[in-house]
Every structure is written in C-alpha cells, then in structure tokens.
C-alpha cells in the first residue's frame, strides 16, 4: 500500500514464534482416555474412535498432564488453570519471537492479544507485561471471540495500526488452550469432533512499520475481512454453567466451497493479481474437510497446503494460533524470493473469513 507521497507503507513480519505446552498425548492415548470417560454413558465408542481418527491428528500437546483434567469439575477451576497456563505459555512465545526478531520488550509499542479459550480481566497481555516488562506506555488491544480466524485477523489489525504509526513495532500474541474447554458431559457429535481435533499452543508474530530501518520478512500489502450474514450458529460457543460448549456445524466445509473462491479472487483482483500469481498459501488448519475445501475451491496443487496438512497432523487445530504456526513454518522453511506473493487465510465464528496479502 502506497502513501499519498508514493512511499510503500506496508509493514513487515519480522518473525513468528511458536510454543507448545510440555505435556503430549498421542491420539491413541486420548482415545483411550475418552473411552474410559464415556464408557459408562452407553456412548457408541466405535463411533468415537472413527470420529477421532477421521480428523487425521496424530497427537496433541496439552496445557496439563492427562491425569490433571478429571479433578477440574467447574468452569472456575478450568478457567483458573487456563489463566496460569496461558500466562506461562504466552511469556515463552513472546520471548522467543522477540529474540528471533532481535528486539527487546522495550521496543514493542502495541500488543494485540487474541484468544477464545479462556477469559481474564486484566487480560493476559497485562499479565505478560508484568513478566517481560514492556514499556509503561505500550498500547494493549485484547481481542476475544474471533476464534480460528483471529490469528489472521490479528495480523491484519496490527498491520492497519502500523500503517498509521510506521515507526512502531507491534506483536500479535495468540494463546489457545482448547483442552481446558472440553465439556465432559456433552456427548454431541460436535463435542466429540472437537475433542479429537483441537489442541493447545501459542504463537507470536512480530511486525514492524515501514519507517523502521532494516526491514526483513514479507510485507503485509493488504487485508480483507468478509462477513457472512446470518451464520452465527455455524461455529462458536454456547456459554453454559460448565463453561464453553462448542457450536460446530457440519456446514463449515460447504461454506468454504461456496464462498472462498469468490472472496479470494475479488481480493486479489483489487491488487491486479490472480490466483496463479500466488506462490505461497498460508491456510488455517481447520480440519481435513476444510483443507480439502480450500484446495478444491481455489484449484490448488496438492503441495500448496502441505505445511497446513503437516501442522494438522502434528499438533491439531490450535484455533487462532494455527495459521500463525503455518506462517512461521513458511518463513523458516521456504526460500521465498523477493517479489513473490503469498496469501494468508482463515475462517471462524461470525461466520467469516480473513485474508492477508503478503509480498516478499
């Protein structure tokens, strides 16, 4: 994006840090734990195994050891555990990302914090400030409720801010501990699928304004948000006495197929581009059917989303952190050439999509 004087005001993504909790369970271990939990409820246990294996997740990192979950009976107990774990994991990923960007906490001007798996006031970004010692005049923007789309949306909103303050640095922190939202009394298909698909993790993207010297990494050229009217029951939470009860419709892949091609083509056309001009695709790991819908609707080669597929298999869907995990893998593993284009995209509660146009 050019200013009135013709200067490029596009901020750059300096680094992306990624962190996973230390506790890991394979999908087979998790299936065994759920079998034990739900065996007395006369649930179709074979169906449980089929649903868990269908999401193609090999295992997940968890905020707590498996044996620590059964004693957490109330929303307060789970949310207290979320606050503790989110703060610890958030500190880890912020320090990692700033080290990779060769920056200090004192150089951060604005913190965008996104999550959908727990609540806290003051929000986690304030607690992180006390640990890593951001400047006392840093700005805070905590965002709750965007779910899986929030990683891409956070980058887009941070880039919007940096176009107005091109000499500043912003970080986008996503912390999601999906395991602490599980409703153990809910035997619905959406809850069973969620229990097999979603994992725990955190990511942090460091962005710098165009006026900061020594820019490196892809520039955020533009972004576009798309809201689909009257789709609020497609994905989200019902807040019940025991916490967050998942809303997850089987219509999600269909929405992707119906809309994402037109959304992406319209977005690219605004910048004189077509899908064939895009070298790097950074897609949220929404699940096998969602990734397949992306591939089909956008007519992508089988290798185009390989990093998204790998992330899904290795750690599951990390909600808002997922697309940042894929972005970090792209920055580290792909030898992008100057001038190459990329698109980061995610979909989430609303229901809606977020697209971010990148250029190396």
């Amino acid at each position: 994006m050019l200013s009135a004087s013709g200067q490029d005001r596009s901020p750059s993504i300096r680094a992306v840090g990624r962190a996973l909790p230390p506790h890991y369970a394979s999908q087979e271990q998790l299936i065994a734990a759920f079998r034990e939990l739900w065996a007395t409820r006369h649930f179709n246990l074979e169906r449980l195994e089929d649903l868990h294996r269908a999401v193609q997740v090999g295992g997940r990192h968890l905020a707590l050891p498996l044996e620590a979950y059964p004693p957490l009976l109330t929303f307060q107990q789970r949310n207290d555990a979320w606050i503790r774990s989110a703060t610890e994991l958030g500190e880890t990923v912020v320090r990692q990302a700033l080290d990779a960007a060769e920056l200090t906490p004192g150089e951060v001007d604005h913190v965008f914090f996104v999550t959908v798996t727990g609540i806290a006031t003051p929000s986690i970004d304030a607690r992180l400030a006390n640990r890593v010692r951001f400047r006392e005049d840093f700005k805070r923007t905590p965002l709750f409720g965007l779910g899986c789309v929030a990683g891409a949306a956070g980058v887009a909103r941070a880039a919007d801010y940096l176009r107005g303050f091109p000499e500043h640095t912003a970080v986008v922190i996503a912390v999601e501990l999906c395991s602490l939202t599980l409703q153990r009394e809910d035997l619905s298909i959406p809850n069973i699928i969620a229990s097999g698909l979603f994992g725990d993790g955190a990511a942090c993207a460091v962005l710098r304004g165009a006026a900061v010297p020594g820019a490196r990494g892809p520039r955020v050229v533009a972004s576009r948000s798309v809201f689909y009217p009257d789709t609020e029951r497609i994905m989200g939470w019902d807040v019940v006495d025991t916490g967050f009860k998942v809303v997850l419709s089987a219509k999600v892949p269909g929405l992707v197929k119906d809309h994402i091609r037109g959304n992406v083509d319209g977005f690219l056309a605004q910048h004189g581009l077509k899908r064939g001009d895009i070298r790097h695709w950074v897609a949220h790991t929404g699940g096998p059917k969602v990734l397949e819908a992306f591939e089909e609707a956008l007519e992508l080669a089988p290798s185009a989303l390989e990093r998204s597929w790998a992330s899904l298999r290795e750690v599951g869907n990390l909600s808002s952190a997922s697309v940042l995990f894929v972005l970090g893998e792209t920055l580290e593993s792909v030898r992008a050439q100057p001038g190459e284009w990329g698109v980061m995209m995610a979909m989430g509660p609303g229901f809606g999509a977020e697209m971010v146009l990148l250029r190396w």
Side-chain angles (χ1 to χ4, degrees), residues 314-337:
E314 293 165 9
V315 298
N317 183 341
L318 306 179
S319 189
S320 67
S322 279
V323 76
L324 297 181
F325 262 65
V326 179
L327 177 61
E329 288 290 334
T330 301
L331 297 185
E332 293 176 9
S333 63
V334 175
R335 294 182 179 179
Q337 300 301 310

Side-chain angles (χ1 to χ4, degrees), residues 15-143:
V16 178
R18 304 175 311 283
L20 296 162
H23 313 289
Y24 178 82
S26 69
Q27 197 75 322
E28 295 305 314
Q29 289 176 295
L30 291 169
I31 288 173
F34 284 120
R35 284 182 67 97
E36 181 178 354
L37 172 64
W38 285 320
T40 60
R41 303 289 302 279
H42 307 291
F43 182 73
N44 184 338
L45 297 178
E46 288 70 28
R47 179 64 169 156
L48 163 69
E49 294 189 22
D50 290 344
L51 289 171
H52 270 229
R53 293 196 173 97
V55 297
Q56 300 183 33
V57 176
R60 280 161 290 161
H61 291 258
L62 305 174
L64 306 174
L66 268 178
E67 62 271 16
Y69 286 87
L72 301 179
L73 301 177
T74 68
F75 184 20
Q76 179 180 348
Q77 289 173 328
R78 288 194 291 273
N79 198 68
D80 285 347
W82 179 87
I83 291 173
R84 291 191 298 271
S85 296
T87 303
E88 292 170 1
L89 198 61
E91 179 183 2
T92 297
V93 77
V94 168
R95 292 189 184 280
Q96 180 195 110
L98 289 175
D99 285 347
E102 299 177 339
L103 296 172
T104 67
E107 294 174 276
V108 174
D109 299 285
H110 199 138
V111 173
F112 293 81
F113 179 80
V114 302
T115 191
V116 75
T117 50
I119 54 175
T121 303
S123 47
I124 299 299
D125 47 288
R127 299 163 196 260
L128 294 177
N130 289 322
R131 288 183 173 228
V132 304
R133 297 301 175 186
F134 295 126
R135 297 195 320 268
E136 64 177 17
D137 65 338
F138 86 106
K139 300 176 180 69
R140 298 165 50 207
T141 301
L143 299 172

Side-chain angles (χ1 to χ4, degrees), residues 82-316:
W82 179 87
I83 291 173
R84 291 191 298 271
S85 296
T87 303
E88 292 170 1
L89 198 61
E91 179 183 2
T92 297
V93 77
V94 168
R95 292 189 184 280
Q96 180 195 110
L98 289 175
D99 285 347
E102 299 177 339
L103 296 172
T104 67
E107 294 174 276
V108 174
D109 299 285
H110 199 138
V111 173
F112 293 81
F113 179 80
V114 302
T115 191
V116 75
T117 50
I119 54 175
T121 303
S123 47
I124 299 299
D125 47 288
R127 299 163 196 260
L128 294 177
N130 289 322
R131 288 183 173 228
V132 304
R133 297 301 175 186
F134 295 126
R135 297 195 320 268
E136 64 177 17
D137 65 338
F138 86 106
K139 300 176 180 69
R140 298 165 50 207
T141 301
L143 299 172
F144 177 86
L146 290 174
C148 298
V149 79
V155 169
R157 300 296 80 79
D160 291 342
Y161 167 80
L162 291 172
R163 289 189 184 94
F165 298 90
E167 72 282 4
H168 282 195
T169 296
V171 297
V172 179
I173 307 166
V175 180
E176 303 289 12
L177 305 177
C178 302
S179 66
L180 289 168
T181 69
L182 176 70
Q183 298 295 301
R184 65 189 71 183
E185 301 302 315
D186 179 10
L187 298 182
S188 67
I189 295 300
N191 192 54
I192 301 301
I193 292 174
S195 72
L197 176 62
F198 291 97
D200 298 351
C204 177
V206 181
L207 289 84
R208 308 208 79 186
V212 178
R216 68 169 188 257
R219 291 192 176 274
V220 180
V221 176
S223 64
R224 185 175 183 182
S225 304
V226 183
F227 182 78
Y228 307 139
D230 303 317
T231 56
E232 63 267 26
R233 295 302 295 175
I234 294 295
M235 180 181 287
W237 299 127
D238 283 333
V239 182
V240 298
D241 289 343
T242 52
F244 298 135
K245 181 179 178 180
V246 70
V247 175
L248 183 61
S249 171
K251 296 179 180 179
V252 171
L255 274 175
V256 176
K257 289 181 182 179
D258 290 343
H259 294 285
I260 199 65
R261 178 187 296 182
N263 296 156
V264 169
D265 285 352
F267 177 47
L268 293 177
Q270 288 182 325
H271 303 278
L273 300 171
K274 297 181 179 180
R275 271 177 276 141
D277 298 315
I278 304 305
R279 178 68 179 84
H280 308 286
W281 294 92
V282 180
H284 165 65
T285 56
K289 291 184 179 180
V290 171
L291 290 178
E292 289 168 358
F294 277 137
E295 291 175 336
E296 179 182 335
L298 297 175
E299 301 174 308
L300 299 178
S303 61
L305 301 184
E306 61 182 350
R307 285 174 295 279
S308 296
W309 281 106
S311 185
L312 177 66
R313 289 190 297 269
E314 293 165 9
V315 298

